[in-house]
Amino acid sequence: MTRHILTAVAWPYANGPRHIGHVSGFGVPSDVFSRYQRMAGNKVLMVSGTDEHGTPILVQAEQEGVTARELADRYNRVIVDDLQGLGLSYDLFTRTTTRNHYAVAQELFKTLHRNGYMIEKTTKGAISPSTGRTLPDRFIEGTCPICGYPSARGDQCDNCGNQLDPTDLIDPRSKINGETPQFVETEHFFLDLPALAEALGSWLQTRTDWRPNVLKFSLNLLDDLKPRAMTRDIDWGVPVPLPGWEDNPNKRLYVWFDAVIGYLSASVEWARRSGEPDAWKSWWCNPEASSFYFMGKDNITFHSQIWPAELLGYNGLGAHGGSPGEFGTLQLPTEVVSSEFLTMEGKKFSSSRRVVIYVNDFLERYDADSLRYFIAAAGPENQDTDFTWTEFRRRNNDELVAGWGNLVNRSISLAAKNVGAVPTPGTLTEADAALLDTSKAAFASVGALLERSRFKAAIGEAMRVVGEANKYLSDQAPWSLKDPSQHERRDTVLHTALQVVDDCKALLTPFLPHSAQKVHELLGESGVWSGSPEVREVSEEGGPDYPVIQGDYASAAARWASRPIEVGRPLAPPKPVFKKLDESIVEDELARLGGE
């Protein structure tokens, strides 16, 4: 049965280019998942965009001597180009500064307010004494009053996981310039999380198939739920849509309130741009649809607590009751898929300390699929992982070049040289049948792992088939079958190998879409096997043009099944699918990082 699958991908912040640590958490895993689901015949809607509001944008804009909008415009385009180059197959990658996003975010706020879940309170807000500017919670650091961790943030402690307010911190300081923030009284709207705690807890108790670390962390958050401010003293963001507030130039919606709503607003924008304005409802208002949210572990609280609470309040399902707004009853997340952190050469990514490689710089020097492979096979799926150039080179050379690339090259070159086409097989031996059975069975085993977002195990299982096929070729040695009486056996071995190459092409497509297209063509086929994202310039009434990522993925031929290869299809001598990396790249890259 065809399912509707929403892939909701964390929104990269538009205050600079993204590095490979970022895309290891939100980018590649979500794309692998979406490509698999499309191949399996499901209707996928993969959405995201650049997050462009909040104080960090203002701070970065001031440092660069530009306006917040100019900064957002610049890095929106940089990020769009990077993610497209990596092959991330968004149905729509947009931005939060669109009129559409403002309207959707304001609709949710107004309905939450009408249902009684946005309460007005006087509180103490942090400002910078030197600039007078509001300091967001995440830009304030201090000692956690609960566990004593010295680098807790103003919104939560990453050590013990507890939610905090900046005023809770011991010895708070600004992460921007180190000064002690000044706390002043101000009026704000708070999301009444205690009124939503019972509904939120009941829902979380049903999420038994989540990754254990995500579910445990989320359930622990319920122990001390407090109302959370959803507006800020700032002049850059979505206006607060209430009388007396909407015309106040210094009050805006909290960036994290509107950012998570982006999943919905991007879906609405996608539907409008597709010519079917209500199409988004098949993913958001359909109880049979599934939604999967991909992010790094530092964003779990916003996706397993804040966003579900907003949806419950919008639907009128908290202690205050209420009724849904104009969008109708909205479905809560099916699963929150969180990755751990990627470090680099044993250190945290840091632009200021040059411990970083940006996506664009990486793609200028290496193939996108080499990075995608590393992230899938050795990335931070369920524990923090270190990226080293030595390990990257080893995996590229030993596994992609000498493993998968070697199988493709040997199989096709032997068939091209000896037959010139896909050969006609004779009677299968036990070894032939066993390999074909292994290859076909992998669609079920790899697919089951991808359904559960177990990417590392899934690509390991696919590469196991590659290994079995390489061993088969070595054992059968078709190059030695030169006598005319042996040609039928030679052709049977080569046909078997080519069938498994075609199967492995499909099994590896979600992970390695660029090389899958190459293999498709090397096997003598034409047309698009694996759909590629495109950057398109779009317009919005009343706003400036901007780039988005979209793609025509439905017309691609890729399917999650073994397809019999066509006997007699012409084959030409193949070109290498992957590039072998010289040992010098390790030394060169470490020198770029400042050396070791």
Side-chain angles (χ1 to χ4, degrees):
M1 184 182 73
T2 299
R3 295 182 292 154
H4 284 80
I5 306 285
L6 174 70
T7 306
V9 190
W11 291 56
Y13 206 55
N15 63 337
R18 299 298 88 185
H19 57 63
I20 64 170
H22 292 131
V23 296
S24 71
F26 73 82
V28 173
S30 61
D31 188 60
V32 171
F33 180 81
S34 296
R35 286 179 179 274
Y36 159 71
Q37 293 291 354
R38 291 191 191 102
M39 290 177 70
N42 294 316
K43 294 184 181 297
V44 173
L45 180 58
M46 177 176 170
V47 294
S48 187
T50 45
D51 181 3
E52 301 180 3
H53 295 132
T55 300
I57 293 285
L58 290 172
V59 171
Q60 187 67 29
E62 186 175 279
Q63 290 175 355
E64 297 191 18
V66 297
T67 66
R69 180 70 200 215
E70 288 170 337
L71 184 93
D73 286 346
R74 181 198 308 164
Y75 288 121
N76 162 258
R77 192 169 293 276
V78 168
I79 293 168
V80 162
D81 288 342
D82 287 351
L83 302 187
Q84 184 270 339
L86 199 52
L88 305 187
S89 58
Y90 293 100
D91 291 282
L92 182 68
F93 184 92
T94 179
R95 60 195 307 188
T96 57
T97 48
T98 65
R99 293 165 66 90
N100 169 74
H101 176 72
Y102 277 41
V104 174
Q106 289 176 330
E107 157 61 15
L108 262 75
F109 182 91
K110 287 187 292 186
T111 301
L112 283 163
H113 182 261
R114 173 172 57 79
N115 285 345
Y117 300 103
M118 280 294 175
I119 52 178
E120 191 173 352
K121 292 176 60 178
T122 299
T123 185
K124 287 191 174 183
I127 64 171
S128 165
S130 61
T131 67
R133 178 177 291 150
T134 300
L135 281 170
D137 298 348
R138 288 197 162 201
F139 272 57
I140 302 171
E141 207 170 56
T143 300
C144 176
I146 299 171
C147 71
Y149 181 59
S151 298
R153 297 196 309 260
D155 58 351
Q156 71 180 50
C157 174
D158 285 339
N159 186 57
C160 66
N162 283 286
Q163 180 181 328
L164 300 171
D165 287 320
T167 52
D168 296 331
L169 295 174
I170 301 168
D171 297 325
R173 58 193 176 277
S174 167
K175 291 180 69 175
I176 298 172
N177 56 19
E179 65 186 358
T180 301
Q182 181 180 349
F183 293 96
V184 297
E185 285 196 346
T186 183
E187 293 292 317
H188 282 298
F189 278 100
F190 285 69
L191 180 62
D192 192 358
L193 288 171
L196 295 159
E198 184 176 349
L200 191 59
S202 297
W203 170 72
L204 279 172
Q205 292 290 350
T206 68
R207 305 293 91 194
T208 54
D209 55 349
W210 283 17
R211 289 180 177 175
N213 62 320
V214 178
L215 183 59
K216 181 180 178 181
F217 179 86
S218 304
L219 288 169
N220 287 342
L221 292 173
L222 295 173
D223 295 339
D224 187 30
L225 280 185
K226 296 180 290 187
R228 185 145 187 176
M230 290 296 156
T231 55
R232 287 292 188 270
D233 293 307
I234 191 174
D235 61 0
W236 174 245
V238 180
V240 182
L242 293 175
W245 288 71
E246 55 194 350
D247 296 325
N248 187 333
N250 295 311
K251 295 285 187 183
R252 292 291 185 267
L253 297 182
Y254 176 35
V255 63
W256 266 107
F257 176 82
D258 87 83
V260 290
I261 293 171
Y263 302 118
L264 175 60
S265 69
S267 303
V268 172
E269 181 183 347
W270 165 82
R272 178 171 56 80
R273 295 195 181 283
S274 70
E276 299 181 50
D278 290 333
W280 63 272
K281 293 181 180 179
S282 296
W283 285 268
W284 284 93
C285 303
N286 174 11
E288 300 301 316
S290 300
S291 56
F292 297 82
Y293 290 71
F294 289 82
M295 75 219 62
K297 65 179 178 181
D298 54 334
N299 290 336
I300 293 175
T301 184
F302 299 103
H303 292 84
S304 68
Q305 181 193 77
I306 302 301
W307 179 226
E310 290 179 25
L311 291 169
L312 288 165
Y314 183 86
N315 293 339
L317 296 177
H320 301 319
S323 58
E326 66 180 59
F327 293 132
T329 300
L330 300 173
Q331 299 302 308
L332 274 66
T334 302
E335 185 168 353
V336 172
V337 185
S338 165
S339 296
E340 303 295 301
F341 289 151
L342 188 73
T343 56
M344 189 166 193
E345 299 290 345
K347 300 174 183 177
K348 282 187 176 182
F349 279 92
S350 170
S351 300
S352 61
R353 294 193 297 271
R354 297 176 62 195
V355 183
V356 69
I357 181 167
Y358 296 112
V359 173
N360 178 64
D361 293 335
F362 194 101
L363 296 180
E364 283 184 350
R365 303 198 284 273
Y366 308 103
D367 291 338
D369 278 3
S370 295
L371 177 58
R372 292 175 64 107
Y373 181 79
F374 182 92
I375 291 172
E381 182 177 311
N382 47 30
Q383 63 182 23
D384 291 352
T385 302
D386 192 40
F387 175 94
T388 69
W389 288 107
T390 298
E391 180 66 2
F392 169 70
R393 175 178 174 269
R394 186 194 70 77
R395 286 189 177 273
N396 180 85
N397 290 356
D398 294 357
E399 297 171 15
L400 287 182
V401 176
W404 175 220
N406 185 42
L407 175 64
V408 172
N409 187 71
R410 285 205 294 174
S411 303
I412 297 176
S413 62
L414 284 167
K417 176 183 177 181
N418 290 284
V419 185
V422 175
T424 301
T427 303
L428 298 182
T429 66
E430 187 175 317
D432 305 333
L435 180 63
L436 291 171
D437 288 346
T438 295
S439 184
K440 288 179 182 177
F443 285 95
S445 57
V446 175
L449 291 166
L450 288 173
E451 283 283 353
R452 307 203 310 273
S453 298
R454 293 187 58 192
F455 307 113
K456 194 175 294 187
I459 199 168
E461 180 67 10
M463 290 299 286
R464 185 182 68 81
V465 179
V466 169
E468 290 286 329
N470 270 320
K471 182 178 184 300
Y472 165 85
L473 266 183
S474 297
D475 290 346
Q476 302 301 318
W479 51 85
S480 67
L481 304 175
K482 298 177 181 179
D483 189 89
S485 65
Q486 298 175 307
H487 284 180
E488 180 180 330
R489 178 60 194 155
R490 177 200 67 192
D491 290 355
T492 303
V493 171
L494 292 177
H495 183 277
T496 299
L498 290 170
Q499 179 63 61
V500 175
V501 166
D502 195 67
D503 287 352
C504 289
K505 173 196 72 179
L507 292 167
L508 290 166
T509 293
F511 308 97
L512 310 173
H514 305 89
S515 52
Q517 181 66 37
K518 290 181 183 178
V519 174
H520 180 69
E521 294 167 8
L522 290 174
L523 286 168
E525 300 205 55
S526 59
V528 176
W529 166 257
S530 178
S532 296
E534 302 172 0
V535 176
R536 301 172 183 171
E537 293 290 326
V538 299
S539 59
E540 182 181 51
E541 185 178 348
D545 293 355
Y546 57 97
V548 299
I549 302 175
Q550 291 186 292
D552 180 17
Y553 312 115
S555 63
R559 296 293 179 268
W560 195 255
S562 176
R563 312 172 310 152
I565 55 173
E566 179 187 343
V567 171
R569 187 189 302 132
L571 297 175
K575 295 179 180 178
V577 180
F578 303 103
K579 299 174 187 173
K580 188 172 183 178
L581 300 178
D582 189 77
E583 191 173 355
S584 63
I585 74 112
V586 175
E587 185 178 332
D588 292 344
E589 293 296 349
L590 289 176
R592 288 189 179 97
L593 290 174
E596 285 291 323

